Amino acid sequence: MNAVTPAGPSASPPALPAPIGLLAELTHRCPLRCPYCSNPLELDRRSAELDTATWQRVLAEAAALGVLHVHLSGGEPTARQDIVAITRACAELGLYSNLITSGVAGALDKLDALYDVGLDHVQLSVQAVEAANAERIGGLKNAQPQKFAFAERVTALGLPLTLNAVIHRGNIAEVPALIDLAVRLGAKRLEVAHTQYYGWAYVNRAALMPAKADVDRSIRAVEEARERLKGQLVIDLVVPDYYAKYPKACAGGWGRRLMNVTPTGKVLPCHAAETIPGLEFWHVQDHSLAEIWAGSPAFRAYRGTEWMQEPCRSCDRREKDWGGCRCQALALAGDAAATDPACSLSPLHGKVQALAIAESALETAPDYQYRTIGGAPRAAIPEGAPV
Ligand code: SF4
Ligand code: FES
């Protein structure tokens, strides 16, 4: 594995392992308007997006740094006119490319060309099985037949297909049907990903929060299907933070495995890092990816364990989950260096669970605040307000 030498006096490890993944957020433009989107509330406009040559240079720097996987994401990455050129650059550099797509609008028209230049993998989002429900959640009419046609072409080309279903109150009853759909569409993998409450999902939390009993039922459905479909379908399960016992190692640990480049070239340790005030992010226009990985103040802020407070500091799981999610700690505890309140050892954990139970018990869920560029959401939950 490649290694880079950290810059500056306070960098602790002598050799820093290289990141393995690059999330390339090529654009925030998207034909869907999902209320659970983890993109920031202030979405980048097309006029500010990086150009093709800059993305190609960034990809070359990623390959030189040791990155193995590039996730071509957004927004909807196929909304970029140059998506084929960017994918070709991945293939020429030996980077494994994963297209994270909604499969609608012009996506199908570009698929064969993407295959021809060496696209390796497709991850297709599905909002629900039942078309009316799926299109209500995604905020786009006639999306479902387009998605199914897209999936059919992916498998006809022989490309590996993963379906990604973000789970919430509005579709949790469909988890068994989503598993059947993945089999029917020929997917090799299904991600049953309970909503993570960042960005638009955070302001829509009360509309999205499922009941604990439904969560438990969905987990049982996944466990049963994993047995039944062994060798046919791999099912990844992301459990909902607010009902968890221990938090996830968010982004594989801050500054340990991933780099996230925004449409305008800002490089983040995770997709929601900009919600943490006071962090200094570096841009690909000013620094190489290697310089950013080693020296960017944002990457160094919560790397390792030195920054941890109790109970993380003395916990024997601290190098397993790296204290959970910094952005969630900020949102729920008001302090990005606090233990993630998703952890049962956090003093705030009980409050967070009570909040989830109260929101999921609302008789009528609030209307969705759909994701939109330039639209200001109602501040249902003030960001950074501790529970
Ligand atoms: Fe992880 Fe910190 Fe909780 Fe321990 S106390 S399990 S390190 S979040
Ligand atoms: Fe930022 Fe989890 S989303 S650390």
Side-chain angles (χ1 to χ4, degrees):
M1 180 188 283
N2 286 12
V4 284
T5 306
S10 63
S12 36
L16 181 63
I20 59 165
L22 181 84
L23 182 68
E25 288 182 349
L26 299 178
T27 178
H28 279 159
R29 289 173 282 139
C30 186
L32 294 188
R33 300 183 293 136
C34 306
Y36 56 70
C37 184
S38 60
N39 282 159
L41 301 181
E42 280 214 24
L43 295 161
D44 293 333
R45 291 176 185 277
R46 179 185 198 149
S47 54
E49 290 174 4
L50 296 181
D51 61 18
T52 314
T54 306
W55 273 116
Q56 288 166 331
R57 194 245 306 153
V58 167
L59 291 168
E61 289 175 1
L65 182 56
V67 165
L68 301 175
H69 302 124
V70 173
H71 305 282
L72 301 167
S73 177
E76 171 52 53
T78 61
R80 294 243 345 181
Q81 291 306 318
D82 56 0
I83 183 64
V84 174
I86 289 172
T87 306
R88 183 191 290 118
C90 291
E92 288 172 354
L93 291 159
L95 293 163
Y96 185 92
S97 55
N98 174 28
L99 181 75
I100 300 179
T101 180
S102 62
V104 302
L108 181 56
D109 300 338
K110 293 179 177 151
L111 184 55
D112 282 42
L114 292 169
Y115 172 77
D116 288 343
V117 297
L119 178 67
D120 290 301
H121 182 271
V122 174
Q123 179 181 316
L124 173 67
S125 69
V126 284
Q127 281 63 41
V129 176
E130 202 264 311
N133 193 31
E135 292 169 11
R136 182 184 72 87
I137 294 165
L140 182 72
K141 287 222 177 315
N142 202 32
Q144 198 76 329
Q146 295 181 62
K147 283 174 180 280
F148 291 175
F150 186 87
E152 198 176 307
R153 187 65 193 150
V154 171
T155 52
L157 288 168
L159 276 169
L161 173 67
T162 293
L163 286 196
N164 172 277
V166 175
I167 304 300
H168 48 85
R169 176 176 178 153
N171 64 3
I172 194 163
E174 293 195 37
V175 168
L178 283 161
I179 295 168
D180 294 345
L181 177 70
V183 172
R184 210 160 61 237
L185 293 179
K188 295 271 176 273
R189 185 177 285 269
L190 169 67
E191 293 177 355
V192 176
H194 280 269
T195 304
Q196 308 288 301
Y197 294 99
Y198 311 110
W200 292 84
Y202 192 74
V203 293
N204 280 298
R205 194 177 65 197
L208 297 170
M209 187 66 71
K212 177 79 165 60
D214 291 334
V215 169
D216 293 344
R217 211 169 295 128
S218 75
I219 293 172
R220 283 198 299 276
V222 167
E223 285 167 352
E224 179 277 319
R226 276 177 172 161
E227 279 300 310
R228 180 167 48 88
L229 299 170
K230 229 176 228 167
Q232 188 180 359
L233 179 71
V234 174
I235 309 178
D236 294 329
L237 175 67
V238 178
V239 298
D241 283 341
Y242 286 39
Y243 294 126
K245 183 171 181 199
Y246 295 117
K248 61 188 178 293
C250 198
W254 185 277
R256 292 182 54 77
R257 300 173 73 81
L258 292 176
M259 301 184 91
N260 181 346
V261 182
T262 71
T264 60
K266 201 182 283 183
V267 189
L268 315 175
C270 70
H271 58 272
E274 286 175 283
T275 60
I276 300 177
L279 285 184
E280 181 190 334
F281 302 104
W282 287 0
H283 292 70
V284 297
Q285 294 92 329
D286 306 321
H287 297 275
S288 70
L289 280 190
E291 286 169 348
I292 295 170
W293 181 245
S296 158
F299 275 81
R300 294 171 60 181
Y302 302 110
R303 185 176 266 151
T305 55
E306 283 302 299
W307 55 272
M308 286 181 175
Q309 307 170 359
E310 292 296 347
C312 292
R313 179 172 274 275
S314 56
C315 178
D316 59 9
R317 290 180 58 87
R318 67 185 178 279
E319 292 193 359
K320 286 198 180 86
D321 60 36
W322 304 97
C325 174
R326 297 307 88 229
C327 303
Q328 187 150 268
L330 175 83
L332 298 175
D335 177 2
T339 294
D340 183 345
C343 177
S344 53
L345 302 173
S346 158
L348 288 173
H349 186 66
K351 277 192 183 175
V352 167
Q353 286 206 321
L355 184 150
I357 289 165
E359 288 182 344
S360 67
L362 292 173
E363 207 163 303
T364 311
D367 289 342
Y368 292 150
Q369 300 185 66
Y370 285 105
R371 172 199 196 275
T372 170
I373 291 184
R378 299 187 305 273
I381 307 161
E383 281 197 284
V387 288

